Amino acid sequence: MSTETIIKLQVGERRFVTTKETLIRKSIYFDVLLGEDFKKPDSSLDGHIFVDRSGDLFEHVLQYMRTDKLPLFHDPANGFNHGLYTQLRDEAIFYGMSDLDDQLKNKNYIYLVTTHFQILTFPATIDGQSMNLELTKELRAVSTPNRTVSLVQQLAYSAEAYHCARHKDHTSPEQCFPGCRGTKGQHDGSRASWRNKTFMQTVLRITNYY
């Protein structure tokens, strides 16, 4: 049977339930508050210890106490919410959490996200269906629950295309599909040839969350 002491907190207008061991492991504030001189909470709070701070921010403070992981305040459109991290650092200082304070001061949260760009090139058709189908397939291939993919730019341009024996257009013979490989490089005018073609270049932003 667990010997941990259950602690009920009301931080601002929100209530939390955790253990004394979790609270005092990283916080000088709670180590002192729950020390030998700890007084039983006011009965009007149903046994909850009241802390006059932001409950919404304490949710992230408590999660850090439990997991040692920084919260992620980020979206692909606007990037990191540095203002919210600054507010969280104020809470870390109040609760006497030096390790969380150091992490936020050094902006270690930027390592929670990496971003890179990928360029895809497709033959453009009049109705666009072929390009959209290939783009959809590529997006599905790179998308995961911890990754977001957004379209940055699309640019049409003309160039010579390799029209292979399967009647597919590629930017070069090396980009033929596996089924084309048996006929690749045959420039007899009837099976494979080079011709002018419009291509669509698509730039994707891929953001990974850790």
Side-chain angles (χ1 to χ4, degrees), residues 41-173:
D42 191 318
S43 59
S44 64
L45 293 174
D46 299 324
H48 289 73
I49 301 170
F50 180 71
V51 182
D52 193 13
R53 302 294 291 186
S54 166
D56 291 340
L57 289 171
F58 184 74
E59 176 183 352
H60 303 294
V61 170
L62 181 58
Q63 188 65 10
Y64 182 81
M65 290 177 173
R66 291 168 170 166
T67 66
D68 292 322
K69 294 182 179 179
L70 291 172
L72 180 61
F73 306 143
H74 179 279
D75 69 76
N78 300 308
F80 289 100
N81 189 334
H82 296 286
L84 192 52
Y85 280 114
T86 298
Q87 294 179 45
L88 186 62
R89 188 184 173 198
D90 290 340
E91 299 305 296
I93 294 171
F94 174 84
Y95 291 113
M97 300 174 65
S98 58
D99 57 339
L100 178 57
D101 180 27
D102 288 342
Q103 294 237 44
L104 295 172
K105 178 176 64 176
N106 296 327
K107 298 184 177 181
N108 289 345
Y109 51 82
I110 65 174
Y111 301 112
L112 298 174
V113 179
T114 62
T115 300
H116 68 277
F117 295 88
Q118 182 173 341
I119 299 176
L120 305 175
T121 302
F122 303 105
T125 57
I126 295 177
D127 58 14
Q129 291 182 359
S130 175
M131 181 195 67
N132 290 333
L133 178 61
E134 293 296 328
L135 180 57
T136 300
K137 287 163 56 178
E138 290 289 341
L139 290 175
R140 288 176 178 173
V142 299
S143 297
T144 68
N146 295 323
R147 177 185 297 156
T148 62
V149 183
S150 56
L151 181 65
V152 178
Q153 176 180 295
Q154 285 188 306
L155 176 66
Y157 68 96
S158 296
E160 280 197 323
Y162 181 76
H163 189 70
C164 74
R166 295 180 66 223
H167 305 292
K168 301 288 185 179
D169 290 315
H170 310 287
T171 54
S172 71

